[in-house]
Amino acid sequence: MKPVIFLALIPSLAASVVEGSGRTQRQPRRPRPSSGLTTITVQPSLKMDNVNLVQLPESPISPRAANDFYECRNSSPAPGDSDCNNIIDEVFALDQAITIASNACLTFQYGTCWGFFCSLCQTLSTDTEFIGNQLISAEALCVANGQVGTIVSRDAPQWEAGFVYQGAGLPNYDVC
């Protein structure tokens, strides 16, 4: 198992480092052509129990948001770590602002991995830098260990981000 130290989920905080995955929170960069990433909007469908959410660990570099949690779950098969990392790179390459309707999700599909970012309770305006940083967290905490996983923010505006195996239902945490 790789040791994991992490994270800041608020873009205004200093960059965080995720040890074990070798990734750092990123700054925006110029878009580059996509290499097969598909993006669609869907609704979360798999009701999840909040009891299994674990508070994100605090990083010595940046404090975590007080109400940000994660859950890793076993999946057979599990999404490929390299496929999920490709999604992270592609999300950063998009380098754009995004508005997501309440109870809607963006999905990013590549190979065996589906990444997602959902607005849970209200319309949410964000950018692909923020989304990519949340996906880095889910990859380091869960996918790198052979699991699917979700990062959930209980603070308004509530959102969730993470990875599932291709075609699996997206989790839906009731945090509204």
Side-chain angles (χ1 to χ4, degrees), residues 63-84:
R64 62 173 158 64
N67 277 322
D68 291 344
F69 296 82
Y70 75 99
E71 179 180 9
C72 299
R73 297 174 312 283
N74 291 327
S75 173
S76 183
D81 195 34
S82 63
D83 289 346
C84 295

Side-chain angles (χ1 to χ4, degrees), residues 108-129:
F108 308 96
Q109 304 171 7
Y110 188 87
T112 63
C113 188
W114 282 13
F116 60 90
F117 185 89
C118 306
S119 177
L120 299 177
C121 307
Q122 63 194 51
T123 299
L124 171 66
S125 293
T126 188
D127 57 45
T128 54
E129 176 190 351

Side-chain angles (χ1 to χ4, degrees), residues 79-94:
D81 195 34
S82 63
D83 289 346
C84 295
N85 277 306
N86 191 7
I87 287 174
I88 292 168
D89 291 340
E90 293 288 341
V91 167
F92 279 117
L94 293 172

